């Protein structure tokens, strides 16, 4: 053996051995068990390390490939499982320091030069060392090596961010930071730790953190692991900086440096040489040499906020506020904006400003949140050092306005929050830069501006210095400025802030502000207004401000002090005489031809103030009886067209005529306010006692007409602009929206006085501006402002709209005219002939319809002939080429109009409107759709038409249609048109849209026939004509001819099938009912039998050859035929059918047998089709009730049961579908159990029990288990009696046991099979409720507790929790309510289950972070269920009195662990109060003595609330109870 290992050692060290052989030998020696060397692993690792060290020290020459293989060899050893096992077993293996230094040198070389030679292997070796604690000790023992490694790793990542090894590099940095943190925590010399961090790690760590925060390495595709690693790296870097730079031991040094507090030598210790830690940190931070200049500013900015945060985290406590502040100027001085010159500041880009201001915001927010600035302490003790610094920051911000940066506003807001005096010296400049002169378009910036203005107003409201603030605002507004470039001062945001402020002010302060604005207006603007457009703009801005103040102040009332009322009255009078009238005089008497801008703005200002004054005057006169209105009008006034004495005393009527001419030139605020004045005049007129006189009515009509006419041109043109609802933002663009908003908001006032033409105009505007497509409605969330579409949509869906009968009728007429115009645009042929054939398309007045309707409904031969004229016209047009055709664009337009019709209430139309609407819709449905219309759109179009026709015929005027045509004629017209349309469809027979159309058409035809039967309108004649038409139509002739033609219409055959089935479905029950009456006519029965024969024949033709071809129309038709046969007990015989059909076709019973077998096999596939499945189940129900049709060799009961079981056990059928079809299956089972035998039922039970066998759970056959549980649920919903009920309840113990085992297995699975657990709980609750008398063994009831204790109630999604909890509660409540004997012995088990419910509600109902309260409604409902259970427990006082105090204690113990949401806490407390009703005084004393101190206080508070709120109330109720 000695020769073996000595030979290997000799060969590895020998110069004669080639490096290729050495590497192979070393590799063999590491992996081979036959090579035995003393301390082999250490020897091989040392050899590789020494070889690498010799190469890098230039003592050995090696090829690059050899060096790489050596690194790979070392890496292989470090990551090998063999080495890990050796170290785990306690063997010591040491790494040479030379190898560690080489690794550090290679990483340093990579960071400086980017050389990637062997870097992957080097990093992998480093990772292997750091990830193995026994090897990493060489780094932790030699701290300087770790610091050097960490520094070079960080620099490598920062300097080579695009390197291929960056992911590996970050992993190594993550490990290195973890080890260094452990070293740092064990460091006893704070000076050394500070020196290491500031000297070697501060700069690279800050740069690396900046790159990580900027998302440099978190591109798409890196995955969540990379993001998690990035967060962890940033966290560890912060921990390293906190532990090195801001240690608790350094607090005295920071105090000495920042506060000039000298420390004694005895306290300095190791810190005596660390004189200026903050200066050291700042110097290292601002040093420009450690990264590129473009990156340096960003790193410094991001690091300033971090360092201040770390400083506060380490040293902030009560008493250290000044110290924490003194750091702020030092760090603020690191930012460029703090020391650059004026021209340099102007050279900074918006992005630079944004970065720096975000940092300033974070610094100021830290000051605010930590309450570092105490105004009194700063002024008294520290000479306002903080105040002066904040003033410097404020001056910097205001002097260099950055209104496009949201952070700029937030910084100013933070300064205002600190102390309003910081900004007050520059308040005027602040208001100008941040509000009045600011030009802001971006949404986030507007929100930041609104927040600043809100804080500004709130601050001065609290200080009661709002007049002082308004003085500054007015000073800025009245400065010389380019007013045309200013944005509206009171847009939506600032206006809402001002409104909120004004509501908090007392009336006296509002009057002070009001008077101040008046004074400024009179002294600074009004004297210079003439001929000055700039002053005109200022006057408008001040008018907006006055309007906002007057409209949003608190109203005076009878409790207002008299001096305030008198002052208000004087201010109103002064405003009218000294401001409003001079403005109107200036407008009415211009010195010469004025420019349009001046004229418009002065007019806007004058009319806005006139409207505002009139509104406020009226409001004050209504609310305050002591206020004497300046516009006090006599009781009777001769009212004329534009007479305004009621609103503005002293302004003559002819003056307003001039004003109207001026405002008519501009779509602006003035016109809008003039409309408001007219509206106000109408309101004042209506308030007078004589408003119903003819003069007043004429005036009201004239005023209403003027309001509509004022904006008619603008509204007709339309606009897509949005309006924020503020008067100040009304412009030429937004005026149509404001005008329409004014009209719609006051329709109840306007409509009684509008002429028919105006009503039709309003209706057309409403129709034009309604959004016709859903994609237009979807943009509502993106644009919160008011638009024409939103206003019209709100009116259209308003419940008041149908109540405005005249406008509603006008809208209906406009809608019908629009539909008719689209149809007329597609008409071909002679218009005069078409007008005679389809008169309702050409008559615009409903009275015309009523005229020819009356003509066509005359009694007698002439009337009969006339009534048939319309039907004959329509029928001839339907049979020939219908003269109206629609292209794709016209179809799209018509569909939009039909969507509007669908939203209307058509059930209350007048007779004339109903008839015209019906004929119009019928004509629309008959229109020929040209080739450019796709089939999907065509089907949607026809469905919409016939759905609307059906809805129309459910209205009160449905009989009016029968005055102009017979039901049989209408039936023929509809089907003739549809037969022709179906021949052009290029779709399959089982297309879902086509099947839906068949369903809609069938419903409409059934409605017509039901009306015919109910009204008994010539039944034999109408039904005879219908059957004759159906039997003679081309589709029927082609189908029954037996010839296979290429141009046959399979869709038309389906349509004929639906028509015959509908006819039989309506006529069958009616004939069956009439048959019971004596002397019942045989004609209808014969017609029914004839229809049934035709239906049977057609069904045989349409019968699918495969089960998958079954669809709802075919199955419904078979059901109808079978229902008629069963009802009549005389189905058509085979000979009758054979006369019509070919001998090769199936006979009647054979048809039923074929459908029966197909339905059984296709039932799982039909489960996803609701209509088809419902029809299939109905067929099986009917088939099972006709024993003469049953096959002789098999049991229908068994076959149907197994087919249903296959549906429930089919994994392809979703759980939601099974839940949807359960009601249909329940009806089928009820019928089957009624006709089935006991043996059939016994076989069903055996099959169910087999499905519940626990072996199915072990085999993971969940569908079989779920199907069996569902079958039990279905059986429980069926009425059982006699021997079947006895059989079921004898099997009940076995069912309960099986459910227990299944639930236990299900609850162990992950994820939880929710559908199965829910079904088990439903079945359990039903068994417990219905088995109150039948379940005799208490053990089987007790098994329910084990089920309830197994169901998990935690770690569920909100919707899952809201589904599971009520089911557990229902099962538990069923035990409590239905099994009292078991309860007496099982109260501990009951309480265990109930406490699980209680504790889960407490856990789920705890207060959570914002945005995570989605499950609160579900938890609240569960809390109410817990309260309900408490009430039932309290009702059984005898059983639960002993347990009541313990239940209270359990509640208190659990609720103390969390902070409950108040909404959830309320119901739970009410339930606990009910338990306290059961507690006697010794119980209360027991709780007070036994509860821990913390819970004792909670119980004392709870009992106090109980005594105060609950007990007293109930004692009061009992006192008055009999």
């Amino acid at each position: 053996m000695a020769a073996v290992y000595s030979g290997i050692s000799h060969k590895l060290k020998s110069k004669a051995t080639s490096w290729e052989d050495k590497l192979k030998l070393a590799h063999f020696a590491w992996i081979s068990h036959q090579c035995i060397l003393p301390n082999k692993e250490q020897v091989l690792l040392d050899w590789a390390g020494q070889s690498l060290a010799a190469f890098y020290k230039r003592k050995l020459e090696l090829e690059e490939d050899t060096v790489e293989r050596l690194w790979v060899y070392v890496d292989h050893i470090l990551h090998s499982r063999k080495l890990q096992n050796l170290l785990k077993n306690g063997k010591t293996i040491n790494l040479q320091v030379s190898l560690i230094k080489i690794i550090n040198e290679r990483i340093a070389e990579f960071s400086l030069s980017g050389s990637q030679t062997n870097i992957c292997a080097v990093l992998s070796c480093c990772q292997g060392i750091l990830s193995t604690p026994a090897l990493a000790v060489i780094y932790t023992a030699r701290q300087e090596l770790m610091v050097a490694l960490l520094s070079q790793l960080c620099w490598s990542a920062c300097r080579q961010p695009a390197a291929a090894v960056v992911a590996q590099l970050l992993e190594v940095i993550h490990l290195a930071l973890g080890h260094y943190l452990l070293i740092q925590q064990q460091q006893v010399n704070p000076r050394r730790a500070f020196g290491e961090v500031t000297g070697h790690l501060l700069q690279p760590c800050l740069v690396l953190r900046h790159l990580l925060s900027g998302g440099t390495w978190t591109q798409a595709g890196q995955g969540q692991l990379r993001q998690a690693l990035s967060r962890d790296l940033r966290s560890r870097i912060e921990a390293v900086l906190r532990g090195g730079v801001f240690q608790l031991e350094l607090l005295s040094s920071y105090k000495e440096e920042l506060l000039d507090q000298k420390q004694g030598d005895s306290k300095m210790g190791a810190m005596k040489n660390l004189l200026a830690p903050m200066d050291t940190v700042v110097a290292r931070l601002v040093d420009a040499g450690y990264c590129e200049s473009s990156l340096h500013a960003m790193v410094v900015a991001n690091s300033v906020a971090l360092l201040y945060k770390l400083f506060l985290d380490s040293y902030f406590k009560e008493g250290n506020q000044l110290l924490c502040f003194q750091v702020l100027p030092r760090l603020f001085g690191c930012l460029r904006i703090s020391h650059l010159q004026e021209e340099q500041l102007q050279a900074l880009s918006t992005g630079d400003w944004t970065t720096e201001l975000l940092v300033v915001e974070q610094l100021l927010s830290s000051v605010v949140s930590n309450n570092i600035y105490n105004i009194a302490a700063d002024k008294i003790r520290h000479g306002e050092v903080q105040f002066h610094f904040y003033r410097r920051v404020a001056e910097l911000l205001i002097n260099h306005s950055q209104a496009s940066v949201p952070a700029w506003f937030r910084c100013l807001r933070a300064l205002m929050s600190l102390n309003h005096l910081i900004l007050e010296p520059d308040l005027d400049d602040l208001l100008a830069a941040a509000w009045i002169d600011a030009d802001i378009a971006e949404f986030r910036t507007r929100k930041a501006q609104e927040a600043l203005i809100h804080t500004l107003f709130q601050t001065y409201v609290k200080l009661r210095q709002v007049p002082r603030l308004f003085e500054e605002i007015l000073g800025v507004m009245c400065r010389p400025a380019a007013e045309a470039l200013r944005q509206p001062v009171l847009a939506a945001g600032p206006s809402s802030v001002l409104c909120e402020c004004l509501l908090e002010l007392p009336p006296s302060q509002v009057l002070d502000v009001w008077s101040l604005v008046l004074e400024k207006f009179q002294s600074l603007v009004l004297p210079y207004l003439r001929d000055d457009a700039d002053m005109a703009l200022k006057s408008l801005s001040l008018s907006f401000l006055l309007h906002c103040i007057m409209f949003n102040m608190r109203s005076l009332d009878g409790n207002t002090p008299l001096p305030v009322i008198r002052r208000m009255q004087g201010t109103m009078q002064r405003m009218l005489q000294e401001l409003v009238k001079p403005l109107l005089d200036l407008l009415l008497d211009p010195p010469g031809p004025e420019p349009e801008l001046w004229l418009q703005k002065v007019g806007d200002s004058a009319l806005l103030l006139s409207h505002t004054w009139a509104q406020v005057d009226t409001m004050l006169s209504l609310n305050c009886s002591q206020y004497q209105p300046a516009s006090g009008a006599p009781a009777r006034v001769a009212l004329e067209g534009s007479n305004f004495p009621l609103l503005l005393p002293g302004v003559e009527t002819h003056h307003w005529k001039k004003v109207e001419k001026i405002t008519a030139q501009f779509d602006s605020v003035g016109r809008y306010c003039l409309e408001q004045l007219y509206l106000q005049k109408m309101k004042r007129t209506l308030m007078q006692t004589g408003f119903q006189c003819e003069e007043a009515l004429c005036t009201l009509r004239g005023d209403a007409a003027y309001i509509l006419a004022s904006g008619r041109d603008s509204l007709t043109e339309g606009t897509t602009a949005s309006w924020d609802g503020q008067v100040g933002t009304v412009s030429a663009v937004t005026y149509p929206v404001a005008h329409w908003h004014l009209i719609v908001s006051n329709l109840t006032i306007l409509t009684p006085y509008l002429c028919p033409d105006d009503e039709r105009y309003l209706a057309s505007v409403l129709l034009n501006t309604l959004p016709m497509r859903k994609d237009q409605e979807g943009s509502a969330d993106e644009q919160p402002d008011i638009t024409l579409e939103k206003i019209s949509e709100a009116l259209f869906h308003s419940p008041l709209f149908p109540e405005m009968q005249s406008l509603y009728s006008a809208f209906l007429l406009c809608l019908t005219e629009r539909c008719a115009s689209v149809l007329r645009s597609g008409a071909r042929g002679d218009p005069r002939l078409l007008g005679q054939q389809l008169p309702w398309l050409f008559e615009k007045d409903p009275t015309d319809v009523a005229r020819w309707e009356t003509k066509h409904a005359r009694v007698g031969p002439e009337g009969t002939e006339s009534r048939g004229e319309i039907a004959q016209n329509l029928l001839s047009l339907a049979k020939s080429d219908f003269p109206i055709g629609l292209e794709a664009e016209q179809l799209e337009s018509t569909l939009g109009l039909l969507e509007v019709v669908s939203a209307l209430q058509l059930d209350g139309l007048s007779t004339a409107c109903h008839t015209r609407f019906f004929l119009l819709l019928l004509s629309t449905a008959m229109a020929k759709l040209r080739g450019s219309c796709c089939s999907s759109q065509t089907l949607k179009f026809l469905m919409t038409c016939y759905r609307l026709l059906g809805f129309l015929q459910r209205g009160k005027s449905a009989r009016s249609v029968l005055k102009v045509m017979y039901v049989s004629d209408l039936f023929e017209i509809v089907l003739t048109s549809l037969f022709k349309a179906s021949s052009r469809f290029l779709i399959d027979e089982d297309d879902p849209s086509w099947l839906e159309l068949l369903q809609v058409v069938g419903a409409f035809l059934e409605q017509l026939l039901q009306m015919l039967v109910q009204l008994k309108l010539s039944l034999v004649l109408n039904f005879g004509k219908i059957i004759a038409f159906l039997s003679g139509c081309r589709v029927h002739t082609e189908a029954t001819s037996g010839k296979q033609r290429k141009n046959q219409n399979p869709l038309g055959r389906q349509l004929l099938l639906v028509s015959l089935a509908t006819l039989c479905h309506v006529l069958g029950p009616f004939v069956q009912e009439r048959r019971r009456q004596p002397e019942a006519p045989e004609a209808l029965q014969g017609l029914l039998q004839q229809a049934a024969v035709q239906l049977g024949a057609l069904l045989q033709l349409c019968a699918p050859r495969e089960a998958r071809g079954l669809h709802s129309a075919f199955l419904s038709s078979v059901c109808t035929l079978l229902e008629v046969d069963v009802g009549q007990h005389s189905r058509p015989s085979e000979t009758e059918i054979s006369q019509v059909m070919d001998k090769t076709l199936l006979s009647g019973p054979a048809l039923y047998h074929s459908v029966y077998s197909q339905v059984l096999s296709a039932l799982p596939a039909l489960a996803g089709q609701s209509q088809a499945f419902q029809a299939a189940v109905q067929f099986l129900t009917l088939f099972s009730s006709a024993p003469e049709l049953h096959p002789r060799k098999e049991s229908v009961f068994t076959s149907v049961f197994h087919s249903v079981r296959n549906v429930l056990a089919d994994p392809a059928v979703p759980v939601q579908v099974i839940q949807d079809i359960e009601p249909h299956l329940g009806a089928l089972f009820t019928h089957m159990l009624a006709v089935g035998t006991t043996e059939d039922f016994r076989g069903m039970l055996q099959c169910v029990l087999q499905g519940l066998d626990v072996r199915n759970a072990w085999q993971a056959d969940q569908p079989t288990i779920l199907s069996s549980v569902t079958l039990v649920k279905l059986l429980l919903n069926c009425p059982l009696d006699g021997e079947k009920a006895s059989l079921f309840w004898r099997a009940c113990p076995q069912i309960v046991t099986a459910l227990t085992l299944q639930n236990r297995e299900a609850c162990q699975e992950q994820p939880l099979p929710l559908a199965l657990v829910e079904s088990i709980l439903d079945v359990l609750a039903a068994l417990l409720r219905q088995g109150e008398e039948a379940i005799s063994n208490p053990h089987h009831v007790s098994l329910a507790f084990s089920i309830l204790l197994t169901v998990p109630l935690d770690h569920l999604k909100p919707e899952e929790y809201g589904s599971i909890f009520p089911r557990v509660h229902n099962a538990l409540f069923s035990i409590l309510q239905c099994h009292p004997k078991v309860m007496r012995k099982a109260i501990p088990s009951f309480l265990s289950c109930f406490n699980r419910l209680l504790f889960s509600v407490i856990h789920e109902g705890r207060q959570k972070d914002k945005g995570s309260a989605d499950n609160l409604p579900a938890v609240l409902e569960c809390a109410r269920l817990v309260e309900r259970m408490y009430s039932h427990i309290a009702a059984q006082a005898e059983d639960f009195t002993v347990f009541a105090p313990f239940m209270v204690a359990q509640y208190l113990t659990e609720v103390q662990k969390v902070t409950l949401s108040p909404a959830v806490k309320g119901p739970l407390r009410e339930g606990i109060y009910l338990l306290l009703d059961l507690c006697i005084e010794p119980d209360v004393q027991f709780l007070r003595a036994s509860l821990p101190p913390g819970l004792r206080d909670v119980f004392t508070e709870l009992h106090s609330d109980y005594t105060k709120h609950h007990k007293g109330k109930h004692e009061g109720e009992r006192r008055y109870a009999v």
Side-chain angles (χ1 to χ4, degrees), residues 976-1023:
T976 302
S977 173
L978 286 172
F979 283 145
K980 293 193 69 174
S982 64
S983 65
R984 296 190 293 266
F985 290 154
L986 301 176
I987 55 175
D988 296 329
E989 296 178 54
D990 57 351
D991 186 279
S993 298
W994 167 250
L995 294 178
E996 187 179 357
L997 174 62
L998 288 179
Q999 182 184 349
V1000 171
V1001 171
F1004 172 63
L1005 295 178
E1006 182 178 354
Q1007 212 169 354
L1008 289 177
L1009 296 178
Q1010 290 286 6
M1011 186 189 301
L1012 178 65
V1013 170
Q1014 290 171 6
L1015 300 177
K1016 299 180 181 178
L1017 300 173
S1018 306
L1019 296 179
V1020 176
L1021 174 63
N1022 277 287
F1023 278 113

Side-chain angles (χ1 to χ4, degrees), residues 147-196:
V147 172
L149 173 67
L150 186 55
S151 174
Q152 294 304 328
L153 286 171
C154 292
W155 279 128
S156 298
C158 297
R159 292 168 180 167
Q160 313 294 337
V165 296
V166 69
Q168 187 181 10
L169 188 60
L170 292 175
E171 295 283 356
V172 178
I173 293 174
H174 186 262
L175 291 170
L177 284 169
H179 283 289
Y180 184 73
L181 282 172
L182 292 175
I183 296 172
Q184 202 177 56
Q185 291 168 5
Q186 299 167 3
Q187 178 64 259
V188 295
N189 186 351
R191 179 173 176 271
R192 181 179 180 182
F194 181 86
E196 286 175 350

Side-chain angles (χ1 to χ4, degrees), residues 578-597:
E578 299 179 12
L579 185 59
V580 177
K581 286 187 177 180
L583 280 173
L584 284 172
D585 292 340
L586 193 62
L587 179 66
L588 295 170
D589 188 24
E594 298 296 340
E596 284 191 0
L597 179 63

Side-chain angles (χ1 to χ4, degrees), residues 1395 1398-1403 1405-1407 1430 1447-1462 1464-1466 1468-1469 1472 1491 1494-1495 1497-1499 1501-1502:
N1395 284 333
L1398 173 65
F1399 296 165
S1400 74
V1401 166
I1402 292 174
H1403 177 74
R1406 68 190 186 278
Q1407 288 185 351
Y1430 273 129
M1447 295 174 70
V1448 173
Q1450 284 176 319
Y1451 166 79
L1452 293 173
T1453 303
E1454 195 66 25
V1455 83
Q1456 187 69 7
K1457 298 176 183 178
V1458 300
T1459 302
L1460 266 181
S1461 172
V1464 177
K1465 191 174 184 178
L1468 296 183
R1469 279 220 163 190
I1472 291 297
L1491 288 173
L1495 289 181
D1497 297 337
V1498 177
F1499 173 71
E1501 180 187 353
L1502 174 68

Side-chain angles (χ1 to χ4, degrees), residues 407-675:
W408 183 74
F409 292 95
R410 294 196 292 269
C411 292
L412 292 170
R413 186 187 179 202
L415 291 171
M416 177 60 69
S417 302
L418 288 172
N419 186 355
H420 74 285
L421 295 175
I422 294 172
L423 294 173
E424 191 162 87
D426 301 312
L427 187 57
D428 54 347
D429 294 332
L430 168 66
L431 291 168
W435 180 13
I436 296 170
D437 292 335
D439 185 6
I440 299 172
E442 204 263 328
F443 178 75
R444 289 174 55 251
T445 311
R446 279 207 312 269
K447 287 299 179 184
Q449 181 199 40
E450 290 169 18
L452 170 62
I453 297 173
H454 183 269
T455 303
L456 191 66
F457 274 104
Q458 288 297 320
T459 301
Y460 279 87
V461 166
K462 292 175 184 176
L463 296 170
R464 293 298 188 224
Q465 294 183 17
V466 175
R468 162 87 175 86
L469 176 61
F470 267 92
E471 191 171 353
E472 296 290 344
I473 293 173
L474 292 169
V476 175
M477 292 178 69
C478 294
R479 284 178 184 172
E483 292 289 332
L485 301 178
R486 280 180 171 174
Q487 296 292 317
V489 175
L490 293 177
S495 178
S496 61
V497 170
L498 181 55
C499 296
E500 184 180 343
C501 157
L502 291 168
L503 287 173
E504 297 179 15
L505 292 178
S508 58
Q509 280 206 27
V510 177
L511 285 170
D512 290 341
V513 173
W514 189 348
S515 301
L516 186 63
V517 178
L518 280 177
E519 290 172 5
K520 293 288 184 181
F521 207 132
Q522 286 179 277
S523 60
L524 299 178
V525 176
L526 196 58
Y528 313 103
L529 188 56
R530 191 180 296 272
D531 302 330
D532 193 335
D534 193 61
M535 278 297 172
L537 289 167
K538 287 187 190 299
S539 72
L540 185 58
S541 298
L542 291 175
S543 301
F544 288 140
L545 188 59
L546 262 178
H547 167 82
C548 190
I549 293 170
M550 295 171 67
F551 258 46
N552 296 287
M553 65 177 290
R554 282 189 288 181
S555 176
L556 307 184
D557 54 27
N559 297 321
T560 306
L562 189 59
V564 174
I565 297 174
R566 288 176 177 171
R567 187 181 174 193
M568 172 66 78
Q569 200 157 342
T571 306
M572 285 289 290
Q573 191 66 32
R574 176 186 167 197
M575 180 176 174
L576 177 64
Q577 299 297 333
E578 299 179 12
L579 185 59
V580 177
K581 286 187 177 180
L583 280 173
L584 284 172
D585 292 340
L586 193 62
L587 179 66
L588 295 170
D589 188 24
E594 298 296 340
E596 284 191 0
L597 179 63
W598 183 90
L599 197 63
Q600 177 186 344
K601 298 308 175 184
V602 172
D604 291 347
S605 180
L607 289 170
L608 174 62
L609 292 180
S610 301
H611 151 61
T612 306
W613 187 93
Q615 291 275 40
V616 173
D617 185 63
T618 303
M619 180 269 297
L620 291 172
S621 64
L622 292 174
N623 292 342
C624 183
S625 58
Q626 295 174 321
Y627 176 83
Q628 298 298 324
S631 60
R636 294 280 297 180
V637 178
L639 300 173
E640 300 176 5
S642 296
N643 194 7
F644 272 85
L646 288 174
L647 296 177
L648 296 176
V651 182
E652 300 297 332
T653 304
H654 63 275
H655 289 162
W656 292 110
K657 293 296 183 183
K658 295 181 180 179
V659 172
E660 290 175 18
K661 292 180 181 179
I662 295 172
T663 55
Q665 303 174 35
F666 314 107
D667 291 342
S668 62
V669 180
R671 185 187 290 197
Y672 175 75
C673 291
L674 189 57
E675 294 166 11

Side-chain angles (χ1 to χ4, degrees), residues 69-138:
R69 292 175 66 184
L70 278 171
W71 278 115
V72 171
Y73 180 68
V74 174
D75 179 46
H76 174 68
I77 292 176
L78 293 174
H79 284 89
S80 66
R81 187 180 297 275
K82 180 179 179 181
L83 180 65
Q84 301 300 323
N85 291 334
L86 290 171
L87 294 172
K88 189 183 297 183
N89 293 331
K91 186 170 183 178
T92 302
I93 294 177
N94 298 316
L95 294 175
Q96 296 178 346
V97 176
S98 59
L99 178 63
I100 301 303
K101 289 182 178 179
I102 290 171
I103 290 174
N104 286 7
E105 289 169 2
R106 301 285 69 73
I107 295 175
E109 180 184 352
F110 170 68
S111 79
L112 290 172
S113 65
S115 172
Q116 306 229 3
T117 306
N118 303 322
I119 191 63
C120 288
V122 172
L123 288 175
S124 185
C125 291
C126 187
Q127 186 177 14
I129 294 170
L130 294 175
S131 59
T132 307
L135 301 177
V137 70
I138 192 168

